[in-house]
Amino acid sequence: MLPAPSFGHLVIAWTDVRLLPGDTAAEWVRSLPDDEQARFAKYRHAPSAHEFLVGRLLARRWLAALTGTAAAGIALVEGPRGRPAIAAPATSLQFNLAHSGGVVACILSDGREAGVDVEYLDRRPVPADLWHRFCAPSEIADIEAQPLDARQHRFLTYWTLKEAYLKARGLGIAVELADVAFSVTGLHPTVAFRESLDGTPADWAFGMFEAGPRHLISWATPQAPGTPRPAVDIHFVAVDTLDPAS
Ligand SMILES: CC(C)(COP(=O)(O)OP(=O)(O)OC[C@H]1O[C@@H](n2cnc3c(N)ncnc32)[C@H](O)[C@@H]1OP(=O)(O)O)[C@@H](O)C(=O)NCCC(=O)NCCS
């Protein structure tokens, strides 16, 4: 069973959905509530539907085990700007999900917000105008100082950190991403906020890791001044263990 988070301790579980057969997905989705079944049915691209399905199964199974509730009793609602939240049972646990290129990540925290993002390193090559649009001048300079074949990796590192931060705050993509400027040259990523995004860099903790050879995962969480950086436990979950019938 996956462990429980605590205030000073976040847990991230990730899984690879690429081996999930289509007929298994069609069977598993019937365990989800009607609104989630309807969302699953709307995806035109089967791999994206599978990622959505597995994210919801992973979050529900984990939350059910930790709250002593049946998975069907975990009610998730869509909050402001699309952020999912736990409507029932009453709990101080919080979760966030991300999916990309066949990998799904779920972060669980207790009594604090947390955001997670994943990117597939072999996604379509990212054109330079994308980092000029979304990155701060210091980030652009760092990306362009990398050898050509390392630029996509560095851009996606910044991208996942930015999205993890936005998701921890429950903001949408509408914010000015170039105003959250990361530095990834030290032991841990650090941030500076520019212009449209106010905040105190010391009030945040960030981290990143590689999930298998081709995916990057970043996380973000607020950190009260003077408190230690949270510990983060990372767990791989085999997708077949998420069978809702098991
Ligand atoms: C939430 C957002 C910031 C990230 O979405 P995304 O990168 O498309 O997708 P991810 O897989 O990382 O995250 C999706 C999950 O985030 C969560 N989420 C959605 N809105 C959220 C919000 N406002 N705050 C926190 N979490 C949110 C949901 O759990 C969602 O998964 P689910 O619908 O299966 O439950 C979204 O607002 C967005 O629009 N992103 C733009 C993506 C983009 O332009 N990418 C280009 C990369 S180079």
Side-chain angles (χ1 to χ4, degrees):
M1 210 213 354
L2 288 164
S6 61
F7 188 74
H9 173 201
L10 308 174
V11 190
I12 298 175
W14 68 275
T15 185
D16 190 331
V17 308
R18 287 171 291 184
L19 294 178
L20 186 70
D23 52 351
T24 304
E27 190 187 315
W28 287 8
V29 75
R30 293 204 292 268
S31 73
L32 294 184
D34 291 350
D35 60 323
E36 291 182 354
Q37 291 195 36
R39 269 192 67 189
F40 176 88
K42 275 196 194 144
Y43 282 97
R44 295 217 181 121
H45 184 230
S48 304
H50 292 185
E51 291 173 5
F52 167 73
L53 165 71
V54 168
R56 294 308 175 109
L57 289 176
L58 173 59
R60 271 215 173 69
R61 173 173 285 245
W62 194 0
L63 291 166
L66 297 183
T67 58
T69 312
I74 304 288
L76 304 180
V77 287
E78 203 168 288
R81 302 186 202 87
R83 178 189 209 169
I86 305 164
T91 175
S92 54
L93 295 172
Q94 303 202 25
F95 79 104
N96 193 233
L97 286 166
H99 15 71
S100 172
V103 161
V104 174
C106 180
I107 189 166
L108 237 61
S109 52
D110 193 355
R112 69 202 293 166
E113 291 92 31
V116 69
D117 192 50
V118 54
E119 281 296 340
Y120 182 41
L121 288 167
D122 292 338
R123 56 175 291 141
R124 256 196 335 266
V126 175
D129 58 339
L130 212 63
W131 64 70
H132 281 268
R133 191 163 142 215
F134 291 122
C135 289
S138 57
E139 295 171 331
I140 296 169
D142 178 44
I143 293 166
E144 294 184 346
Q146 306 302 314
L148 280 179
D149 61 358
R151 291 184 184 180
Q152 169 124 334
H153 188 295
R154 188 53 66 96
F155 168 69
L156 292 174
T157 301
Y158 287 127
W159 181 265
T160 55
L161 286 164
K162 288 169 191 279
E163 288 232 333
Y165 168 75
L166 292 189
K167 289 164 83 178
R169 285 193 61 183
L171 301 171
I173 198 75
V175 305
E176 199 52 69
L177 284 175
D179 285 352
V180 202
F182 284 93
S183 165
V184 292
T185 48
L187 183 58
H188 302 300
T190 55
V191 73
F193 297 107
R194 307 163 66 233
E195 298 173 19
S196 70
L197 281 165
D198 54 344
T200 311
D203 293 350
W204 285 90
F206 303 95
M208 61 206 178
F209 62 96
E210 302 214 349
R214 304 310 305 158
H215 289 81
L216 274 181
I217 294 181
S218 289
W219 56 268
T221 193
Q223 179 173 352
T227 60
R229 183 182 158 81
V232 178
D233 250 13
I234 296 160
H235 294 264
F236 173 74
V237 174
V239 72
D240 54 358
T241 64
L242 298 174
D243 181 347
S246 67

